[in-house]
């Protein structure tokens, strides 16, 4: 009888441990523990220029630290709101332990568009921001060329919004 009690106790302890671990890791998506690309050798001159996305987004990072944005979607959960911002702003290349990041700040919004065709205005939809900041991770793609990306949507999924060098830039 003592063996059966010991077995039940181990089973109960294992079950409790599994429940606790499941709760602790339920929202532990790839983005939450993302530590960066490890890139530390990009220069501001190399990052400056035109960048584009397949969705018609265009960003120009000028050497003087100013920026032009066209149809740039929101980062993280803001992507789900469906707005796309255009305007002017500033950018800066920073470096930390995980790698380099381009901080892009929209300071003057000139246009707002929606990614989805909207037939009826949703009164519960949040107002698109008049200023906004993005954090693009700096990475190297094929042939050692730079890529900029941020995560969007649910962080458990790990979707990346990738900007590549504009043709001719």
């Amino acid at each position: 009888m003592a063996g059966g009690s010991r077995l039940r106790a181990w089973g109960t302890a294992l079950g409790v441990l599994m429940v606790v671990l499941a709760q602790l890791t339920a929202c532990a998506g790839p983005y939450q523990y993302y530590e960066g690309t490890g890139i530390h050798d990009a220069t501001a001159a190399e990052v400056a220029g035109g960048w584009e996305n397949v969705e018609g987004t265009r960003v120009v990072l000028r050497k003087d630290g100013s920026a032009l944005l066209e149809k740039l979607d929101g980062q993280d959960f803001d992507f789900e709101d469906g707005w796309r911002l255009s305007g002017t702003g500033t950018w800066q290349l920073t470096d930390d332990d995980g790698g380099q990041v381009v901080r892009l700040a929209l300071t003057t919004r000139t246009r707002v568009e929606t990614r989805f065709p909207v037939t009826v205005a949703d009164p519960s939809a949040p107002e698109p921001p008049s200023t906004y900041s993005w954090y693009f991770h700096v990475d190297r793609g094929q042939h050692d060329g730079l890529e900029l990306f941020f995560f969007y949507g649910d962080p458990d999924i790990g979707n990346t919004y990738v900007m590549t060098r504009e043709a001719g830039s």
Side-chain angles (χ1 to χ4, degrees):
M1 200 58 136
S5 294
R6 193 174 304 141
L7 186 57
R8 271 194 302 272
W10 276 106
T12 301
L14 183 60
V16 168
L17 179 63
M18 289 176 60
V19 168
V20 168
L21 287 175
Q23 288 176 343
L24 290 174
T25 61
C27 293
Y31 170 63
Q32 290 178 333
Y33 299 111
Y34 186 71
E35 296 182 15
T37 61
I39 301 295
H40 297 283
D41 63 349
T43 64
E46 189 179 12
V47 172
W51 296 88
E52 62 189 357
N53 178 284
V54 295
E55 296 291 324
T57 299
R58 182 171 181 259
V59 174
V60 178
L61 306 175
R62 298 184 181 119
K63 290 181 181 181
D64 66 359
S66 63
L68 174 68
L69 298 75
E70 296 177 12
K71 301 179 183 178
L72 188 53
D73 296 289
Q75 188 169 338
D76 299 322
F77 281 114
D78 291 338
F79 183 84
E80 305 300 329
D81 293 336
W83 47 256
R84 309 184 87 201
L85 303 176
S86 297
T88 59
T90 61
W91 71 278
Q92 180 180 18
L93 179 64
T94 62
D95 196 350
D96 63 23
D97 291 341
Q100 292 175 294
V101 174
V102 172
R103 182 187 181 277
L104 177 61
L106 174 73
T107 55
T108 305
R109 185 180 79 185
T110 57
R111 189 172 67 241
V112 175
E113 298 176 36
T114 57
R115 190 173 50 257
F116 313 112
V118 178
T119 54
V120 178
D122 181 1
S124 67
E127 177 69 24
S130 58
T131 62
Y132 194 80
S133 293
W134 293 264
Y135 295 90
F136 287 91
H137 297 278
V138 178
D139 201 4
R140 294 205 181 270
Q142 289 182 326
H143 310 292
D144 220 24
L146 288 184
E147 292 179 346
L148 305 178
F149 71 92
F150 62 78
F151 293 97
Y152 70 90
D154 185 340
D156 290 337
I157 297 172
N159 291 323
T160 55
Y161 192 97
V162 179
M163 301 288 293
T164 56
R165 185 63 73 178
E166 194 173 50
S169 178

